[in-house]
Amino acid sequence: MSDSNLTDSQQRGVLALFRRIAPVANELGALFADRGHELALVGGSVRDVFLGRIGNDLDLTTDAHPARVLEIVRDWADSVWTIGIDFGTVGVRKGGWVLEITTYRSESYDPKSRKPEVVYGDNLEDDLARRDFAVNAMAVRLPGHEFVDPHGGLGDLSAKVLRTPGPPERSFDDDPLRMLRAARFVSQLGFTVEQATLAALTDMAERIEIVSAERIQGELDKLICGARPREGFTLLVDSGLAAHVLPELPKLRLEIDEHHRHKDVYEHTLIVLEQAIALEENGPDRVLRWAALLHDIGKPKTRRHESAGRVSFHHHEVVGAQMTKKRLVELKFPKDVVSDVSRLVELHLRFHGYGTGEWTDSAVRRYVRDAGHLLDRLHKLTRADCTTRNKRKAQALSRTYDNLEQRIARLADEEELAKIRPELDGNEIQQVLGVAPGPVVGKAYKFLLEMRLDKGMIGKDAATEALRVWAEENLS
Ligand code: ATP
Ligand code: MG
């Protein structure tokens, strides 16, 4: 496979990736060809090969209908699943690969219905024409490796733009979810949206209302977990899409924060999201990211104008937690995500009662207990929620939080120590020494506890032996 639009090093990269995919892709391609069917690598897989970021998932497309696909792959696949079969997709696992084989489609939306109507097509070109963006509408036929790019996807890929293959109005009318997918790819790939596509998206934003909550949730979640969520959310808000799928976000634009330092709570929120992301240790943490995005959504409802021009937002964390729960439930997020994110929103201000370190041990314990398994994320959210431009103030806050974390660690250590017991209990001591309950048992217990603290665990046998020696030296 080669194409003159690619630089030499791009071509080498593409060839190397294709060599990795080829064994499985060619084998399957030959299997389909032998039975008189077409098969092509398509969509995200082709795009990602050119971007040098292929995972273990491959999207494939064929003229064979799902029942026929099942027949063809049955003896070849390690396992097969059919949850997507109503939409024309058969899933296959082979070795380390996950393959999604989708029958050529030309689906469109009934303007009033929420469900895409699935109509099978009979050729690759029509299938590519109904895909969301030109960069996702390239294909490589198998097993021959003929590159098919009728909509200039490769050019868009080097220009990093998202453009619908046909007229954008028609495309977004057929499936309004594509507008949201544009924002998702802006975040994931760092692309921009081509002008006519952007204009249609802005005009038609309201059409997103007919799309089901599950599909919207899937794209929003991919958006927030992408590399550039600020750009994705900015597109959502500026185009008017956010007003329909996440109305709490654009509403933050009107709010001035309590220190009058930031343009508005909206900008503060995007910075907090970015700062939270910078604190992640093991890749995207959706719970932390959603909590960062939603932590202040209670502010518009709780804003009060106080004397001397000050503004307050009393209990915005409580109101915000309720709003968070409502929004995430409406978007059909899993239960644990809903409860974790809303709990973090509720707790995000707790630290600010800490002042300069005057919390009692009991207050620190309560903080830890209330955060539970979310403690580590609460540390990150609280640290990220400081966007003051006053360096000294920011440093002071950060030091105060360091101090809180140290106290938490110290208390935890102390509590661990408090839990330490000798390796023999009172009954065992009485048995070993042949004595009845009394002061001797207490003394022996103290000796064993000291030894346990000095030497750690040495085992019951060694402890018994040491107790005998101690008794000989101290009791006779
Ligand atoms: P990734 O899998 O990395 O999230 P992807 O581009 O593969 O990205 P999928 O949702 O897996 O995205 O879809 C696979 C392909 O199917 C897309 O590349 C695109 O060609 C096509 N596609 C998916 N959803 C739509 C849609 N709503 N309208 C048109 N085409 C779509
Ligand atoms: Mg995919």
Side-chain angles (χ1 to χ4, degrees), residues 147-441:
F147 180 50
V148 187
D149 181 18
H151 307 285
L154 204 52
D156 284 5
L157 208 65
S158 10
K160 297 186 165 220
V161 297
L162 296 163
R163 195 168 42 92
T164 52
E169 296 78 11
R170 168 92 205 274
S171 174
F172 294 154
D173 207 41
D174 278 351
D175 181 0
L177 185 74
R178 292 169 188 164
M179 301 188 283
L180 212 51
R181 287 175 64 85
R184 184 259 273 208
F185 289 120
V186 163
S187 171
Q188 276 186 333
L189 306 174
F191 284 23
T192 57
V193 181
E194 177 270 339
Q195 229 182 345
T197 304
L198 182 60
L201 190 154
T202 308
D203 270 3
M204 300 172 68
E206 187 201 346
R207 289 272 293 150
I208 196 70
E209 296 274 350
I210 67 157
V211 177
S212 72
E214 289 87 346
R215 295 181 83 209
I216 291 176
Q217 185 242 106
E219 296 301 330
L220 286 179
D221 206 39
K222 284 183 176 166
L223 188 164
I224 205 170
C225 289
R228 293 176 175 80
R230 169 192 280 268
E231 277 86 335
F233 284 122
T234 302
L235 172 63
L236 283 193
V237 169
D238 292 353
S239 66
L241 271 175
H244 302 282
V245 296
L246 206 57
E248 296 79 5
L249 191 58
K251 281 195 185 136
L252 295 178
R253 279 181 304 183
L254 307 170
E255 302 302 315
I256 305 294
D257 81 319
E258 56 265 65
H259 313 295
H260 296 264
R261 292 267 156 67
H262 303 290
K263 218 170 65 201
D264 48 37
V265 181
Y266 173 66
E267 179 56 25
H268 162 77
T269 293
L270 293 177
I271 298 173
V272 173
L273 175 59
E274 290 178 315
Q275 294 187 156
I277 290 170
L279 294 173
E280 284 172 349
E281 287 146 311
N282 308 305
D285 177 350
R286 71 207 294 225
V287 167
L288 177 65
R289 291 186 180 199
W290 277 111
L293 186 77
L294 302 176
H295 78 282
D296 271 349
I297 59 173
K299 280 194 169 175
K301 273 196 188 161
T302 55
R303 179 168 65 161
R304 296 282 175 277
H305 293 281
E306 309 285 349
S307 59
R310 288 192 65 85
V311 179
S312 70
F313 303 93
H314 290 306
H315 303 304
H316 75 264
E317 74 282 15
V318 180
V319 174
Q322 284 161 356
M323 291 168 69
T324 296
K325 193 176 238 168
K326 184 160 175 278
R327 173 57 50 207
L328 296 183
V329 165
E330 253 170 50
L331 285 168
K332 306 256 162 77
F333 271 92
K335 277 207 181 80
D336 56 332
V337 175
V338 177
S339 61
D340 286 354
V341 175
S342 52
R343 186 79 174 133
L344 280 171
V345 171
E346 190 182 339
L347 291 173
H348 86 269
L349 280 184
R350 270 284 285 279
F351 160 73
H352 292 281
Y354 190 66
T356 44
E358 59 267 18
W359 274 13
T360 59
D361 282 354
S362 122
V364 175
R365 278 193 209 97
R366 272 170 224 282
Y367 188 74
V368 171
R369 192 212 43 204
D370 290 350
H373 71 286
L374 297 168
L375 183 62
D376 188 52
R377 286 168 168 140
L378 183 59
H379 290 336
K380 292 183 171 130
L381 178 61
T382 310
R383 286 182 184 278
D385 188 18
C386 168
T387 59
T388 171
R389 292 205 197 94
N390 180 334
K391 278 225 175 83
R392 221 185 297 148
K393 213 164 152 190
Q395 272 169 4
L397 262 173
S398 162
R399 266 199 307 273
T400 310
Y401 208 89
D402 289 345
N403 177 280
L404 173 60
E405 284 200 51
Q406 281 155 13
R407 279 190 66 191
I408 289 173
R410 205 188 62 223
L411 275 179
D413 280 353
E414 282 169 11
E415 262 148 50
E416 277 308 303
L417 288 177
K419 272 192 272 177
I420 288 182
R421 299 274 175 276
E423 284 185 86
L424 303 178
D425 65 20
N427 283 332
E428 289 165 323
I429 292 171
Q430 291 169 44
Q431 265 174 24
V432 172
L433 300 182
V435 297
V440 169
V441 179

Side-chain angles (χ1 to χ4, degrees), residues 43-44 47 59 130-132 136 175 178 181 184 222:
R47 179 199 70 217
D59 296 325
R130 66 103 209 150
R131 287 182 181 260
D132 51 1
N136 289 341
D175 181 0
R178 292 169 188 164
R181 287 175 64 85
R184 184 259 273 208
K222 284 183 176 166

